[in-house]
């Protein structure tokens, strides 16, 4: 089976079901990596730092990216403490009015047509605009963000090795250099004239007298670009796909809009925006009767874990009223996603706006949707939809 094919990435769940029941730990001999499919196995790999290292990522030269998520304690502990001084719940909550404004502006551009490409017209630009404003850079530079984010995401191709890995690395190196030059200029501006933005707070935050280096800020900048934009984009798109495929659940939500937070959690479980997290074995690890040797790349299959029937009742059913929903869509343990609150906030605003202003939406194409390029994420590159237009934002105010 080809785990990287478009058909598999569009609907990996039947294969996940098969793997969990027959081969919950699987060795892929061509690229020599291992895959873990069951909930408990994935959760262990995410949290057992004695056995599984986070110093594992498809890099541009076989080396892990210098991102917070790819560090182990104690370095991870200190870096996260510094970053959390800048990326606080108060900072995230303060963005809500501006996110609502940006959402309405984007929808106003296409709402009266009765059709749109939900991905390119809305779900992609909204998180990019939010991240741009949060960092404190001109919103018109979001086209740069998109190009940089795509190049970083393409590094996932390095997992399979060969020409794909070489191509992804060659594309990433000049992008990293370009980002570093751009960031150097911004940091110089902030140090000369501090502002009330995330970049200023990152430059000023410290723990035990230690501040982030420019390399560390660049790493967080790259992580924020990818995680802060790709996760939310896919969450919004996947939610609309779930509602189109499950009109009974959309009707339940329409009858009780206060169920939206629960619906978002079910989308995160049922169609996890991030399907895979990378780990590296620090020693030989026994799991399900097999031994994963030390020093091997491990793909923890989050998308499969969140459909494990051992953990979730009727796991293959999309149910917005699901009460026990301990999904691992944002990871688990010390690496639980710092941006989870921001992604949930953006999704809540986006979906409430979309459901209020678009009635009777449906897919506008009979063609299977094209998966987003990076194999470790899940969602459509484009999502043409038709709908009955609602009111413009001015009429809602």
């Amino acid at each position: 089976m080809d785990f990287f094919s478009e058909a598999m990435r569009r609907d990996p769940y039947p294969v996940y079901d098969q793997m969990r029941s027959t081969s919950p730990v699987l060795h892929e001999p061509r690229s020599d990596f291992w895959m873990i499919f069951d909930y408990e196995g994935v959760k262990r790999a995410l949290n057992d730092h004695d056995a599984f290292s986070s110093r594992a990522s498809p890099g541009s030269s076989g080396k892990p990216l210098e991102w917070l998520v790819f560090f182990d304690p104690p370095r991870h502990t200190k870096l996260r403490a510094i970053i959390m001084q800048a990326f606080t719940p108060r900072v995230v909550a303060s963005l809500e009015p501006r996110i609502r404004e940006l959402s309405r502006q984007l929808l106003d551009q296409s709402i009266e047509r009765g059709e749109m490409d939900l991905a390119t017209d809305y779900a992609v630009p909204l998180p990019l605009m939010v991240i741009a404003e949060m960092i404190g850079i001109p919103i018109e530079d979001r086209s740069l963000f998109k190009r940089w984010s795509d190049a970083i995401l393409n590094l996932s191709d390095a997992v399979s090795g060969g020409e794909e890995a070489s191509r992804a690395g060659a594309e990433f190196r000049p992008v990293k250099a370009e980002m570093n030059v751009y960031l150097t200029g911004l940091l110089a501006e902030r140090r000369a004239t501090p502002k009330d933005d995330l970049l200023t707070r990152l430059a000023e935050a410290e723990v035990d007298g230690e501040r982030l280096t420019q390399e560390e800020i660049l790493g967080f900048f790259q992580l924020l670009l990818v995680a802060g934009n790709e996760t939310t984009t896919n969450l919004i798109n996947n939610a609309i796909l779930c509602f189109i495929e499950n009109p009974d659940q959309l009707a339940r939500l329409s009858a009780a809009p206060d169920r939206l937070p629960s619906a978002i959690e079910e989308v995160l479980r049922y169609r996890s925006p991030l399907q895979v997290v990378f780990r590296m074995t620090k020693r030989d690890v026994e799991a399900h009767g097999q031994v994963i040797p030390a020093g091997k790349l491990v793909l923890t299959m989050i998308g499969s874990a969140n459909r494990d029937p051992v953990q979730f009742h009727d796991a293959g059913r999309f149910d917005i009223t699901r009460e026990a929903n301990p999904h691992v869509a944002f990871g688990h343990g010390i690496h639980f996603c710092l941006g989870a609150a921001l992604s949930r906030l953006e999704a809540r605003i986006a979906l409430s706006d979309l459901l209020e202003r678009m009635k009777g939406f449906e897919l506008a194409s009979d063609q299977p949707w094209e998966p987003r390029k990076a194999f470790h994420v899940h969602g459509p590159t484009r999502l043409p939809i038709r709908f009955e237009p609602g009111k413009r934002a001015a009429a809602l105010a």
Side-chain angles (χ1 to χ4, degrees):
M1 65 187 67
D2 183 0
F3 286 98
F4 306 104
S5 70
E6 281 200 1
M8 171 69 178
R9 294 185 49 239
R10 190 179 297 112
D11 183 16
Y13 301 106
V15 173
Y16 288 166
D17 291 344
Q18 178 186 347
M19 290 297 99
R20 280 192 310 271
S21 61
T22 61
S23 305
V25 175
L26 180 70
H27 181 228
E28 205 290 313
R30 289 173 298 177
S31 302
D32 194 26
F33 59 73
W34 292 72
M35 309 171 82
I36 300 177
F37 292 92
D38 66 301
Y39 181 88
E40 287 301 329
V42 165
K43 200 170 178 181
R44 177 195 175 189
L46 295 177
N47 205 38
D48 185 352
H49 307 293
D50 292 331
F52 297 90
S53 172
S54 298
R55 295 295 288 160
S57 74
S60 59
S61 57
K63 298 178 181 178
L65 296 167
E66 297 298 306
W67 294 2
L68 175 69
V69 294
F70 298 128
F71 284 108
D72 289 326
R75 188 61 186 156
H76 170 270
T77 307
K78 178 159 282 191
L79 280 178
R80 188 174 177 106
I82 295 172
I83 290 170
M84 284 181 68
Q85 290 188 0
F87 204 78
T88 65
R90 182 189 64 81
V91 169
V92 172
S94 70
L95 293 169
E96 180 166 353
R98 183 57 176 152
I99 297 172
R100 290 191 182 280
E101 185 179 354
L102 292 171
S103 171
R104 291 183 171 189
Q105 288 175 2
L106 284 170
L107 287 178
D108 277 351
Q109 295 173 16
S110 53
I111 198 73
E112 293 178 352
R113 297 200 308 263
E115 60 181 21
M116 65 189 297
D117 185 325
L118 183 67
T120 59
D121 293 340
Y122 182 80
V124 170
L126 179 63
L128 285 173
M129 294 164 79
V130 172
I131 293 299
E133 294 214 355
M134 188 177 189
I135 293 173
I137 70 169
I139 205 165
E140 57 267 22
D141 284 351
R142 69 179 185 271
S143 59
L144 285 176
F145 275 30
K146 182 66 170 64
R147 181 166 58 81
W148 292 342
S149 177
D150 288 345
I152 296 169
L153 275 171
N154 289 346
L155 287 175
S156 67
D157 292 342
V159 163
S160 58
E163 293 183 6
E164 287 292 304
S166 299
R167 179 192 55 75
E171 288 180 358
F172 176 68
R173 283 188 288 275
V175 166
K176 181 180 178 182
E178 184 182 355
M179 291 179 70
N180 195 42
V181 170
Y182 186 89
L183 187 63
T184 298
L186 286 178
L187 285 171
E189 291 176 9
R190 295 305 186 275
R191 287 172 179 137
T193 310
K195 295 184 178 180
D196 183 21
D197 58 30
L198 180 61
L199 193 58
T200 299
R201 287 188 285 272
L202 285 172
E204 293 177 346
E206 65 177 67
V207 169
D208 298 333
E210 182 177 354
R211 293 189 175 185
L212 296 172
T213 65
Q214 177 157 328
E215 181 74 13
E216 289 164 345
I217 294 177
L218 176 62
F220 186 65
F221 187 40
Q222 294 169 347
L223 175 61
L224 193 60
L225 265 187
V226 174
N229 125 56
E230 192 70 20
T231 301
T232 305
T233 291
N234 290 326
L235 176 52
I236 295 169
N237 286 332
N238 290 347
I240 296 302
L241 280 173
C242 285
F243 292 136
I244 289 173
E245 294 171 358
N246 299 274
D248 61 317
Q249 297 300 306
L250 178 58
R252 295 176 82 176
L253 180 59
S254 298
D258 60 326
R259 287 177 171 161
L260 182 57
S262 174
I264 289 170
E265 297 308 307
E266 181 67 345
V267 174
L268 287 164
R269 182 197 71 83
Y270 187 79
R271 283 187 183 272
S272 304
L274 180 67
Q275 292 280 300
V276 181
V277 169
F278 303 101
R279 289 291 183 265
M280 186 76 71
T281 47
K282 298 169 74 170
R283 54 174 171 78
D284 290 359
V285 177
E286 185 175 352
H288 291 286
Q290 296 200 67
V291 175
I292 306 175
K296 296 300 182 182
L297 181 65
V298 177
L299 276 56
T300 65
M301 309 302 289
I302 283 178
S304 173
N306 285 335
R307 293 279 193 106
D308 190 338
V310 174
Q311 179 65 42
F312 301 96
H313 174 69
D314 205 3
R317 181 171 181 266
F318 180 69
D319 179 4
I320 68 166
T321 63
R322 187 177 297 274
E323 293 184 3
N325 198 353
H327 64 74
V328 288
F330 286 120
H332 176 69
I334 65 170
H335 283 289
F336 183 80
C337 179
L338 268 175
L342 177 59
S343 185
R344 284 172 166 136
L345 173 63
E346 290 182 80
R348 178 167 56 81
I349 292 169
L351 291 172
S352 79
D353 281 351
L354 289 168
L355 297 178
E356 181 179 10
R357 302 182 64 188
M358 300 187 324
K359 305 302 179 185
F361 50 82
E362 61 182 10
L363 295 178
S365 172
D366 294 331
Q367 297 299 311
W369 52 266
E370 176 190 351
R372 296 184 74 77
K373 189 167 179 58
F375 86 91
H376 65 299
V377 300
H378 178 65
T381 297
R382 287 175 290 277
L383 191 61
I385 59 173
R386 287 188 294 261
F387 51 87
E388 180 184 337
K391 296 180 181 179
R392 291 181 61 86
L396 296 172

